[in-house]
Amino acid sequence: MKSVTNIADLRGLARRRVPRAFFDYADSGSYEEETLRANRADLQKLKLRQRVLVDVSKRSLATTIAGQPSALPFALAPIGFTGMQHGNGEILAAEAAHAAGIPYTLSTMSICSIEQVAEATGRPFWFQLYVIRDREFTKDILSRARAAKCDTLVLTVDLQLLGQRHRDVKNGMTVPPELRIKNIIDIGTKPAWLWSILNAKSWTFGNLAGHVKGMEKINQLAQWTNQQFDPALNWKDVEWIKSIWPGKLIIKGILDADDARTAVKLGADAIVVSNHGGRQLDGAPSSISMLPGIADAVGNDIEVLFDGGIRTGADILRALALGAHACLIGRAYVYGLGALGGPGVAKAIDILRKELDIAMALTGTNSIAEIGPHLIVEQK
Ligand code: GLV
């Protein structure tokens, strides 16, 4: 682990250890990957203001996210197929998040089910919802989430249809992996991965199998979204969700100030400014370029969270400086999981924590509340 010094190292390791179809699934963006690249490039363009001779001996990274205390200004984002990056991936990630004192979000499209994660971790976590055509399923999964003591719902609203990820189509990504010669050879060279999967609690979509009719025959993301996701989904459905969900509601996938204002009107507790990690509308602007306008439009009326392209602690500082209250971390921890299992997630969180801490110190910042636009160098 000593040679792992940044998230890019974890990505390199994950690439070698995880079968190609699953590594590519996490790594890809949609279509030409313009938005995927813009997310990173636009973060890197923001230059931080170096300040000196400020007493930064009493730094704290603690904050609250959606009303809950968090040791760090970020949570783990919902990621589909996490349990295919490493066996029991969702449980390992939830445990690492808990140990670091930050929230973990379980995806609807997880491999381990809500119940398996709840039983293994014994702790509350956030649950992410995709609303499908069958509204009974939605009601049912929300009561399962409540029963598992999930108190915060992350409602993803930018994926009622799937943006194509070319690499998934080319790789024939399925769960469990399709037994093509190419895949068998690939898996044969990933024994640690295979061992972890063979010992895992689930090999299929844990939240759906046995709960959605016809799901037994579904093993592909595109097949499932085409059949089950609802292109008619609209704000009225969000009202409905709000009426049946008693906990906190976070709306994820907002990239427009008008949509952000509507989320405020509906009484959501937070929004996530997000383009789904460049995995949906290719050609959409980067999340970071839209963040200041959205943060301005909603002011203090709602908590603004952010995701898209974060690979360093400095990136987190940049997003907070431009108006995010906290961030969601996706690929950065998934690479850690694929690279080293649970300790890899802990490592990813630790890397981001240390990098953020140093970036705060070198910009003369002692607390999360002090972070603001003054930390960014004005570009001419
Ligand atoms: C699902 O959320 C995906 O982006 O694949």
Side-chain angles (χ1 to χ4, degrees):
M1 268 235 233
K2 276 219 186 87
S3 59
V4 172
T5 58
N6 60 8
I7 300 296
D9 289 341
L10 290 172
R11 179 177 181 272
L13 268 182
R15 187 180 208 153
R16 292 208 292 281
R17 298 198 173 168
V18 177
R20 180 161 178 178
F22 296 118
F23 175 82
D24 279 354
Y25 165 73
D27 200 55
S28 296
S30 56
Y31 303 101
E32 304 314 305
E33 302 192 333
E34 287 172 22
T35 300
L36 176 85
R37 284 190 296 276
N39 277 350
R40 289 284 312 121
D42 288 353
L43 274 167
Q44 286 168 331
K45 276 184 208 145
L46 295 168
K47 300 303 170 203
L48 295 167
R49 194 164 155 214
Q50 173 178 307
R51 300 302 305 276
V52 296
L53 300 175
V54 180
D55 176 355
V56 287
S57 56
K58 297 189 185 67
R59 298 183 310 283
S60 164
L61 275 61
T63 185
T64 58
I65 312 182
Q68 292 163 16
S70 178
L72 300 167
F74 58 88
L76 299 192
I79 303 285
F81 302 80
T82 302
M84 283 290 139
Q85 303 293 336
H86 187 99
N88 291 336
E90 290 86 4
I91 293 170
L92 299 175
E95 280 169 346
H98 178 72
I102 64 173
Y104 169 74
T105 320
L106 182 73
S107 165
T108 296
M109 312 290 289
S110 59
I111 302 298
C112 291
S113 66
I114 300 174
E115 291 79 11
Q116 285 167 332
V117 176
E119 195 193 304
T121 63
R123 316 267 181 195
F125 48 91
W126 294 1
F127 179 67
Q128 175 270 343
L129 180 70
Y130 280 123
V131 180
I132 65 168
R133 291 171 209 246
D134 177 356
R135 297 297 196 264
E136 286 309 308
F137 169 78
T138 300
K139 277 198 208 155
D140 179 55
I141 201 161
L142 289 184
S143 21
R144 289 168 59 198
R146 286 301 291 170
K149 304 216 164 27
C150 298
D151 49 12
T152 302
L153 184 69
V154 178
L155 178 67
T156 302
V157 292
D158 58 2
L159 196 146
Q160 76 271 47
L161 293 160
L162 189 71
Q164 177 166 295
R165 297 87 192 247
H166 297 321
R167 285 190 266 172
D168 290 353
V169 178
K170 293 194 169 84
N171 291 332
M173 197 204 63
T174 62
V175 172
E178 200 178 307
L179 291 180
R180 293 180 181 182
I181 299 282
K182 208 170 83 183
N183 288 346
I184 294 172
I185 295 172
D186 185 29
I187 289 171
T189 62
K190 271 95 191 184
W193 176 88
L194 183 59
W195 182 249
S196 81
I197 295 288
L198 290 176
N199 287 293
K201 292 181 196 290
S202 170
W203 297 353
T204 181
F205 296 114
N207 291 328
L208 315 172
H211 294 272
V212 179
K213 224 167 141 257
M215 196 60 212
E216 311 72 44
K217 295 193 207 82
I218 293 186
N219 59 6
Q220 276 181 19
L221 184 61
Q223 196 189 4
W224 151 251
T225 49
N226 285 345
Q227 278 184 21
Q228 303 278 353
F229 282 38
D230 191 352
L233 193 71
N234 62 71
W235 285 107
K236 288 229 167 325
D237 298 297
V238 180
E239 268 174 44
W240 173 67
I241 300 283
K242 174 116 180 78
S243 74
I244 60 171
W245 175 258
K248 299 259 173 179
L249 178 65
I250 300 178
I251 300 184
K252 175 172 175 288
I254 300 289
L255 208 61
D256 184 277
D258 288 343
D259 288 341
R261 284 191 204 97
T262 309
V264 172
K265 272 195 215 122
L266 277 177
D269 296 286
I271 51 172
V272 185
V273 174
S274 172
N275 50 34
H276 212 105
R279 299 162 72 79
Q280 283 295 97
L281 177 63
D282 196 34
S286 65
S287 300
I288 196 73
S289 66
M290 299 310 280
L291 175 63
I294 295 176
D296 254 13
V298 298
N300 290 328
D301 296 345
I302 198 166
E303 200 164 289
V304 176
L305 308 179
F306 171 88
D307 74 16
I310 291 174
R311 299 291 181 280
T312 68
D315 292 338
I316 297 172
L317 187 59
R318 289 165 165 139
L320 299 190
L322 290 197
H325 178 82
C327 298
L328 299 192
I329 304 300
R331 291 184 181 91
Y333 92 78
V334 168
Y335 295 142
L337 179 69
L340 299 161
V345 180
K347 181 82 184 171
I349 295 171
D350 202 46
I351 287 170
L352 295 174
R353 180 181 65 74
K354 287 187 178 135
E355 289 177 347
L356 172 62
D357 181 48
I358 298 293
M360 281 172 61
L362 298 181
T363 53
T365 311
N366 278 297
S367 69
I368 299 302
E370 274 174 41
I371 300 173
H374 62 281
L375 294 188
I376 305 290
V377 177
E378 261 188 59
Q379 318 260 357
K380 302 256 154 43

